[in-house]
Amino acid sequence: MVPFRSRLVRIPAALLSWLLAVSLHAATTGSAEMEKNASLLIEQWLAKQTNIQTWQADVVQLRQYKTFARPLSSSGKVWFEAPNNFRWEVGSPPVTIAIRKEEELNLLYPRLKRLETFRFDDSGKNEWKESLSLLQAGFPRSRADLLAQFSISGLSLTNDHHVLTLIPRAKMAMQYIPRVDLLIQTNSSELAGTRLFFLDGSMIQNLFTNSVKNSPINRSLFEVGSVEGFKKSEPLK
């Protein structure tokens, strides 16, 4: 069985893509001014998604590892239904599919014929619940929701994006993902992408395009469907 630590690194890559962040060294303003600007940016971003019931987008995922000279690139799609349901596909045809429906998360690996099921009620120890709580965040509905999960670390500006850096508050989550960068479009205050930084020095960047809000989504997307012949496991048990 794959150690849970390595498996947990895969989960955020597939599931935390619409969460938040920016870096300490990237902040060029004083802390008080940075916090004021970050607060304004968060309010503008949250105002754009207060009424989001569904969200879907194409995604390009770049994985950067210390041992690789070039990042690995994959394309995919993501669907979200408030408050917590989502489907994430990476690869064409998909090599990884993540489906969250209510209190159950399923990771499918079609090429390997493998299905892993995570039930949040089975997470047991408080430290694992802290980490899995990040997967339940979805789209935060308020600044309070956001700050309950993350602390603001910094704010910077590129040509096209504000970059907001958030640090997970949960101690267990910090052991795997100490930093998440949220890229917010400067012209629309909408989510453009995320960067997930891991303790081993690797980084995963997700860039979203062709996003559509509040368009009907076929609810069958949040069902696992037929998995005949798949090897099934429940790692938290």
Side-chain angles (χ1 to χ4, degrees):
M1 181 180 292
V2 180
F4 191 80
R5 181 187 179 104
S6 64
R7 193 160 48 234
L8 191 59
V9 170
R10 287 206 309 270
I11 293 173
L15 308 179
L16 299 181
S17 336
W18 44 81
L19 296 180
L20 336 137
V22 122
S23 81
L24 287 168
H25 70 270
T28 57
T29 60
S31 60
E33 183 179 356
M34 183 274 291
E35 290 179 6
K36 179 180 178 181
N37 292 339
S39 179
L40 178 60
L41 178 63
I42 289 171
E43 294 300 332
Q44 291 172 340
W45 173 56
L46 291 175
K48 289 286 187 177
Q49 60 184 53
T50 299
N51 297 317
I52 288 180
Q53 297 302 313
T54 65
W55 182 81
Q56 52 191 305
D58 297 326
V59 60
V60 173
Q61 184 177 94
L62 296 176
R63 294 172 177 244
Q64 182 175 308
Y65 301 97
K66 279 188 172 182
T67 54
F68 289 15
R70 297 180 180 179
L72 304 179
S73 177
S74 301
S75 60
K77 292 186 70 69
V78 60
W79 296 263
F80 169 78
E81 179 186 65
N84 288 315
N85 295 345
F86 56 74
R87 181 186 182 99
W88 180 284
E89 295 182 357
V90 175
S92 181
V95 295
T96 303
I97 302 172
I99 302 172
R100 162 75 188 270
K101 183 179 180 182
E102 298 173 354
E103 296 305 305
E104 184 173 284
L105 166 68
N106 289 284
L107 298 183
L108 295 94
Y109 306 95
R111 291 182 182 175
L112 301 177
K113 294 288 186 178
R114 192 168 81 236
L115 166 64
E116 297 177 347
T117 299
F118 298 81
R119 293 185 174 88
F120 292 96
D121 289 343
D122 294 338
S123 54
K125 296 181 179 180
N126 288 335
E127 56 265 31
W128 294 122
K129 288 184 177 181
E130 285 184 345
S131 297
L132 291 175
S133 69
L134 293 180
L135 306 184
Q136 301 185 56
F139 282 81
R141 295 294 182 173
S142 68
R143 190 171 185 271
D145 287 346
L146 174 63
L147 296 183
Q149 298 275 356
F150 299 91
S151 60
I152 300 171
S153 174
L155 178 66
S156 65
L157 179 66
T158 69
N159 290 337
D160 301 314
H161 306 122
H162 293 286
V163 184
L164 182 66
T165 294
L166 307 184
I167 306 299
R169 293 188 183 276
K171 293 180 180 179
M172 193 67 177
M174 279 286 291
Q175 295 182 28
Y176 298 97
I177 310 175
R179 167 184 159 191
V180 186
D181 283 1
L182 178 68
L183 281 62
I184 299 176
Q185 294 177 356
T186 55
N187 60 349
S188 66
S189 298
E190 294 187 349
L191 184 65
T194 58
R195 299 185 189 122
L196 310 176
F197 295 83
F198 301 93
L199 277 183
D200 64 1
S202 61
M203 186 271 287
I204 294 177
Q205 176 175 272
N206 301 289
L207 296 177
F208 303 111
T209 58
N210 303 319
S211 62
V212 178
K213 293 186 293 186
N214 295 333
S215 179
I217 293 178
N218 189 334
R219 301 206 78 243
S220 66
L221 286 170
F222 305 115
E223 303 290 344
V224 173
S226 175
V227 287
E228 184 177 353
F230 276 57
K231 181 179 180 180
K232 303 174 185 178
S233 64
E234 297 186 33
L236 293 183
K237 288 188 174 181

